[in-house]
Amino acid sequence: MAPQGRFTVGSHVWVADADVAWIDGLVEEVKGDELIIHCTNGNKVTANVSTVYPKDAEAKRCGVEDMTRLAYLNEPGVLQNLKSRFGMNEIYTYTGNILIAVNPFQRLPHLYNNHMMGIYKGAEFGELSPHPFAIADRAYRLMINYGKSQSILVSGESGAGKTESTKSLMQYLAFMGGKAQTGERSVQQQVLESNPVLEAFGNAKTVRNNNSSRFGKFVEIQFDQNGKISGAAIRTYLLERSRVCQISNPERNYHCFYMLCAAPAEDRERYKLGDAASFHYLNQSSCIKLDAMDDASEYITTRTAMGIVGISSDEQDAIFRVVAAILHLGNVEFSEGSEADSSVPKDDKSRFHLSTAAELFMCDEKALEESLCKRVMVTRGDIIVKNLDSRAAALSRDALARIVYSRLFDWLVNKINTSIGQDPNSKLLIGVLDIYGFESFKTNSFEQFCINLTNEKLQQHFNQHVFKMEQEEYTKEQIDWSYIQFVDNQEILDLIEKKPGGIIALLDETCMLRNSTHETFAEKLYQKFKDNPHFSRPKFSRSDFTVHHYAGHVTYQTDLFLAKNIDYAVNEHQDLLHASRCSFVSSLFPPSEESTKSTKFTSIGSSFKQQLQALLETLSTTEPHYIRCIKPNNALKPGIFENSNILQQLRCGGVLEAIRISCLGYPTRRRFDEFVDRFGVLLPEVLGESYDEVTATKMLLEKVNLTGYQIGKTKVFLRAGQMAELDALRTEVLGHSACKIQRKVRSYLARKKFIQQRISATQLQAFCRGQIARHYYEDLRRKAASLTIQTYYRMYFARKNYRNICSASTTVQSGLRGMAARKELRFRKQTKAAVTIQSYCRSYLARSRYMSLKKAAITTQCAWRGRMARKELRKLKMAAKETGALQAAKNKLEKQVEELTWRLQLEKRMRTDMEEAKSQENRKLKQQLLELQSQSNETKDLLKKEQETAKEALAKAAVVPEVHVDATLVDELTAENVKLKALVSSLETKIDETEQRFEEMKKAREEWLKKATDAELKINELTETMLSFQEKLTNMEAENQLLRQQALLRSHVRTIPENSTPKSSLTNGSPRGEEQKTPHGTPPAPKEYGSFAHARASFYERQHESVDALINCVSENIGFNEGKPVAAITIYKCLVHWKIFETEKTSVFDRLIQIFGSALQKHDSNEDLAYWLSNSSTLLIMLQKSLKAAGSSGTSPQKRQPAQSSFLGMVFRSSSITVDMDLVRQIEAKYPAFLFKQQLTAFVEGLYGMIRDNVKKDLSSLLSHAIQVPRTVKASMVRGRSFGSSSLPRGRSFSNQASYWQAIVDNLTELLKILQENCVPTIFIRKIFTQIFSFINAQLFNSLLVRHECCSFSNGEYVKQGLAQLEVWCGELKPEYAGSALDELRHIRQAVGFLVIFKKFRISYDDIVNDLCPGLTVQQLYKICTQYWDDKYNTESVSEEVLEEMRTLMTNESSQETLDNTFLLDDEISMPISLEEISDSMDVKEFQNVEPPSELVAMPAFQFLKS
């Protein structure tokens, strides 16, 4: 990876920095091999050319998805690309087919849902954004296609996200493999549930990580031949056994020891445990407790997890008994015994722990002591017992602890595998390897040596895979690569593991020698490898050594190498624990075939090497895939990217080593169009139309005199450093061009400035002169104007005063005269009105008083009856709550309502009679009043006459002599006069009383009339309530009957074969075991003798012939009439005429179902599907409007009319026949009819879905081409230069790229034509187009989000033009067809609208969400903004402030758990139409005038169709 190339002033470079690893800068001066660089932090540094790397100044802000496409494949370029993508929340990046995953330390659920897995399913590798799903899909496809097992190696240090990546891989494999279940939990769930158990017994704290895996885990997902998951297994490798007995400061032992010491008090008392610091195996380090881990709660969690994976409570107790025994065993110390070279427990404390360990192991304490302090040696004919000194006894103790823990861990793994369930017959598997990464600490011991050996072996495997990929790429492009030499790390592996002479071999040899020390081992290493280039001896050290690993130099301290490597296989330990009284401990040590042999020396290093070889053999049988997990910071917080830390992880993960291998060949690879587009300025003539891409590329390379490059089929391959040379030449050309442009621009600006100044001076002078003249003229004009104004003002003021005086006098005079006239008029009107009011009032009062009395009486009666009716209604409502009493209450309520209705009618009739009687009585009273008035007038006239007679008599008496008057007559007349006066006064009193009573009765009558009206309304409401109760009751009875026959609907209607009899034992209520029924559902006549039986049989034959004729007729396409399907209406008429709906058992429905079932078989023909959709939906509408359950009152499809008040109205209301509908009427149907209706509903849904899916299938390919046309065209176009149309899909040229959108519009037009020709109801057409447009919206929008190359400016312009075509097409449709289909495109319309606007960096976040894209979520906007690239004008996306605001919002939503599961759109697949909507969409009156088919009308049996 040594940088090559030449640098010039102005070159962008990377230079090393102590704080941020690499920092970019600009070359200011070149002094030979020294460069003076001005860094972006403001500092100036001087660096050698060999330590400086070129920087791509035109790199995208969001980076590249595949780092092999970087212009400069070097260490700082890789680091910057990862940092750029991490800043955009893109955590996955490819390096070839290697996935690099940077842990975001925040939830991103939208990346891992089922919809995202569906997008990656079957997609080409590299076509979509980097993702673990792409790795898993590639592995799964290779396994299925080639029948070879696959492996996915997930590496990285603890906290880098290995577990989450593994979960994602297994989630996708379960998605592809069918999510095989074992019990109630899937294989994936069971594997993940085993993690807490394995972490408790296999993880420990190291210097860098608090939860580091100290073993390798290989999860095998097993598949059958069909690609379905059949089982799983967990294989563990390379458990760090030495950690059980020796740990370094500040590390910890395995977590389970500390968990057990923090267990509840009863558990600690049971195992006789104390504080963790009191045990030798734990107190070798000062770190006992971790701040971020609660050992007590982890203990409970671990035991819960053990129960989940199938470990019983007894087994759990036995496991922790063994763990406690190991702790007690470590506290046993030894001292010199009484005999020579013997040993015994040191003190009482050691004997206590020895006794406790024996008790926990359930073995003999004396035998345990002898197995630790003595050795049995078997010779040819004798057995020798040898004492061990205290040092050897301690080694024997540690060997026992290690072997017990190792066997315990293996048992746990086997138990978990048994719980998960393996498939021994599986030949295919996908393995996921999760293993510890490279380690380099300040103090490195034997554990780090073994771990780094593992990583060296895996790195060799990785390097071979990377080199193989390079070879495949070169072979694919047909370039020569034979001279490229591949150098791997075999020499380092030979240094460590070669036999004899390797470090491990020397370590084993030293361990076998008595009295050897680590210094002896170090001297052997120094002598053996003093000339090895990969081995060195640190200065000022007597026992350390340094190995030059691929990831860096690591210095190892040999102090504990010997103690940690020794691992005796002691036969006494095997026999002792096999004889344990605890069945669990005994099962850990089964009988051995070597039971008679003596103790055998083994080393942990050799065992480690053998297990490592077994792992590599397993991996070699599979096709490898790699995921490198990176931890961006040690604080484990989101948004922090530590360069140095990540660079070290890239180095340890082998990513930089892979880049080094790539740099040995051709690290820079560019497509021809990209190369010519970038470097065409070096040879402008190639930008014309005379040369194709390959020729232009060769001419450019010859022009710059480059050597060593290769021309492939689609790419140009450049050696390391050649890209920098080309960029330097390009920078020079662009620099010279910039100077020329600047010179021309400066001269143009200076000339333009001079001309503008001259023109400005001339204009300024002219303006000043004009201004002076205007001021003088203005003064003269003002003076003349002032004189004129004064003259007119004086004249106006005088005229105004005169007019005001005249107007005031005239106004006063007219006001006075008008006031007097109005007063006189008002008085006359009041007098006339008073007379009129008095006359009308008196007549009205007399008439209304009597009428009110009669009305009040009637109203009182109605109110009382209404009150009683309401009281009865409340009782009925309470009784209606009980289903059993509902029928009886209905009948009773029906009678009462009829009685109340009759009473109300009677009351109305009585009220009418009363009104007539009242009017007659009123007329009589008026007549009597007139008679009384006439009598009164006569009496008054008579009185006047008498008075006049008296006056005349008095006059005569004055003239004539006195006449004797009859006194008796005078008295009589006087008395009669008094009587008449009294009669008149009494009549007037009666008249007043009558008028008063009439007014009172009128008011009471109005109140009673109002109450009677309310009572009538309530009676009508009661009637409607009763009818609704009755309807609900019948519906419930029908539903119960349907539910009892639900088993008939188990088989889907699509499985009915064409022209075959149904296979179910009960079809539409007709058992197959019964005899054939007639079309009316009646059983055939029994075998009778005579002419009567023969006539009856011929009748049934005619009925069957009629059914056959109908079936044969409607099976064919008999077309439409009056815009309605003839077949559906004919079927309905025949079924109604034959009364098939009212039969209990019939086979007619089965034969009709077969017709519709055969239509489903032709699922590729939209014409046939549309024809049958039209017929089935029309028939369904008629059934929905006509069928009712038996016993139901039945209501018209129209709104229920109010109850009739007359007896004739009650008769019509009790009838179920609808007057205004002759064709469709209410029918009391039986169960087979309702089953037929339900099956017909399923057929309608199936036909609708098939038409919709067929259109989607046709549009999918067009949409995929349409969204990628600009990208495909750009591959053959360079700034307007065309290289022919051969590379475009289907031979289309750039000018013809809109043909895909035209094809989409043509498909929609053709579909509309088919639906219209087949008279499909408009509601189906509208819903189909709505769902199709929703599908187009989802496909295009999701493509923008998951395909980075589609989210460009030119693609936005192209898609916008296509959407405009769709909008025009929708505008030409009728509203009943288009509906809201265009609104379904809102997401893609807003997205492309954002893509094609200019100056995005000036737009604020509020403008985006409020004006441009109000319908998009924050996640969708962020994805579009980060993926956007301007391939036309090279402009920038939105500003960093806007992106930061989006990130903040997403982080807040994630913390509040309100983040949506996905930023992708889902496609609706259900039929969004209810049966009620279908029924309401058509008027059954439209079916009246449809003519039946002529072939049926010609038959005598079908003459009823004419009526």
Side-chain angles (χ1 to χ4, degrees), residues 825-839:
L825 178 63
R826 190 183 307 112
F827 174 76
R828 292 180 179 180
K829 285 183 177 181
Q830 287 177 353
T831 303
K832 185 178 179 180
V835 174
T836 303
I837 291 171
Q838 289 173 1
S839 62

Side-chain angles (χ1 to χ4, degrees), residues 1078-1368:
T1078 68
H1080 297 280
T1082 58
K1087 294 183 179 180
E1088 300 177 356
Y1089 300 96
S1091 59
F1092 179 77
H1094 177 73
R1096 190 172 183 181
S1098 62
F1099 171 75
Y1100 290 136
E1101 290 176 359
R1102 288 195 302 271
Q1103 293 290 345
H1104 285 295
E1105 290 175 358
S1106 300
V1107 174
D1108 294 339
L1110 173 64
I1111 297 298
N1112 294 333
C1113 178
V1114 299
S1115 297
E1116 303 297 332
N1117 188 337
I1118 57 178
F1120 304 88
N1121 183 263
E1122 300 291 335
K1124 296 295 180 287
V1126 177
I1129 299 175
T1130 303
I1131 292 173
Y1132 179 79
K1133 286 182 177 180
C1134 292
L1135 295 180
V1136 172
H1137 180 74
W1138 294 335
K1139 299 183 179 181
I1140 302 298
F1141 295 126
E1142 303 171 24
T1143 58
E1144 294 287 351
K1145 299 175 183 178
T1146 179
S1147 61
V1148 177
F1149 292 140
D1150 297 334
R1151 302 186 64 180
L1152 291 175
I1153 287 298
Q1154 292 177 17
I1155 298 176
F1156 290 102
S1158 63
L1160 293 177
Q1161 306 299 325
K1162 305 174 183 179
H1163 54 81
D1164 293 332
S1165 174
N1166 284 341
E1167 291 82 358
D1168 293 338
L1169 295 175
Y1171 172 77
W1172 288 109
L1173 176 61
S1174 176
N1175 280 277
S1176 59
S1177 59
T1178 302
L1179 182 57
L1180 182 62
I1181 290 172
M1182 291 188 288
L1183 295 182
Q1184 173 70 11
K1185 290 181 178 291
S1186 62
L1187 297 189
K1188 69 168 185 176
S1192 173
S1193 62
T1195 58
S1196 170
Q1198 300 175 353
K1199 184 176 179 181
R1200 183 186 294 113
Q1201 299 295 328
Q1204 300 291 331
S1205 58
S1206 63
F1207 291 103
L1208 184 61
M1210 287 187 285
V1211 172
F1212 275 104
R1213 186 172 66 250
S1214 63
S1215 175
S1216 62
I1217 300 176
T1218 307
V1219 177
D1220 60 344
M1221 291 171 57
D1222 297 331
L1223 175 62
V1224 179
R1225 57 179 180 270
Q1226 294 289 296
I1227 301 173
E1228 291 189 355
K1230 302 300 182 181
Y1231 168 72
F1234 286 104
L1235 181 58
F1236 174 67
K1237 174 185 171 184
Q1238 192 167 0
Q1239 293 174 332
L1240 194 61
T1241 304
F1243 277 120
V1244 171
E1245 294 178 357
L1247 292 168
Y1248 174 90
M1250 285 184 178
I1251 296 175
R1252 178 198 60 206
D1253 295 341
N1254 287 342
V1255 179
K1256 287 183 179 180
K1257 183 179 179 181
D1258 296 337
L1259 293 180
S1260 294
S1261 59
L1262 294 174
L1263 290 173
S1264 62
H1265 285 302
I1267 193 67
Q1268 301 180 35
V1269 160
R1271 178 166 62 95
T1272 310
V1273 170
K1274 185 171 176 59
S1276 302
M1277 299 294 299
V1278 179
R1279 296 184 180 179
R1281 187 186 77 258
S1282 175
F1283 297 114
S1285 60
S1286 60
S1287 60
L1288 293 177
R1290 300 182 184 177
R1292 301 181 189 272
S1293 63
F1294 183 79
S1295 61
N1296 197 31
Q1297 57 177 293
S1299 59
Y1300 289 115
W1301 286 102
Q1302 186 58 45
I1304 293 174
V1305 173
D1306 293 343
N1307 275 5
L1308 297 177
T1309 305
E1310 182 182 0
L1311 174 64
L1312 178 61
K1313 181 180 178 182
I1314 292 173
L1315 297 178
Q1316 289 177 333
E1317 289 177 350
N1318 288 277
C1319 301
V1320 175
T1322 56
I1323 186 172
F1324 287 99
I1325 300 178
R1326 185 165 59 251
K1327 294 297 183 179
I1328 286 177
F1329 281 116
T1330 300
Q1331 285 195 319
I1332 289 174
F1333 273 67
S1334 176
F1335 170 74
I1336 295 174
N1337 177 66
Q1339 290 291 103
L1340 295 177
F1341 187 76
N1342 292 344
S1343 296
L1344 288 183
L1345 296 185
V1346 301
R1347 288 183 170 88
H1348 174 263
E1349 65 274 7
C1350 295
C1351 200
S1352 63
F1353 187 92
S1354 61
N1355 197 63
E1357 288 184 322
Y1358 174 66
V1359 176
K1360 187 174 182 180
Q1361 295 173 1
L1363 295 178
Q1365 288 182 259
L1366 292 180
E1367 186 174 356
V1368 171

Side-chain angles (χ1 to χ4, degrees), residues 740-765:
K740 291 181 181 179
I741 294 172
Q742 290 173 359
R743 183 168 66 250
K744 295 293 183 181
V745 169
R746 290 191 184 103
S747 63
Y748 167 76
L749 293 177
R751 182 168 60 253
K752 182 179 179 181
K753 182 178 180 182
F754 169 74
I755 295 173
Q756 288 178 345
Q757 288 177 349
R758 186 176 62 185
I759 295 173
S760 299
T762 304
Q763 291 177 347
L764 183 61
Q765 292 172 1

Side-chain angles (χ1 to χ4, degrees), residues 444-458:
N444 300 287
S445 188
F446 182 69
E447 297 88 352
Q448 282 70 44
F449 181 77
C450 294
I451 290 171
N452 292 341
L453 169 61
T454 303
N455 282 273
E456 282 286 355
K457 296 286 285 186
L458 293 175

Side-chain angles (χ1 to χ4, degrees), residues 808-828:
S809 60
T810 304
T811 302
V812 170
Q813 293 174 1
S814 63
L816 292 175
R817 293 173 184 149
M819 183 173 65
R822 283 190 297 272
K823 186 175 181 182
E824 179 66 22
L825 178 63
R826 190 183 307 112
F827 174 76
R828 292 180 179 180

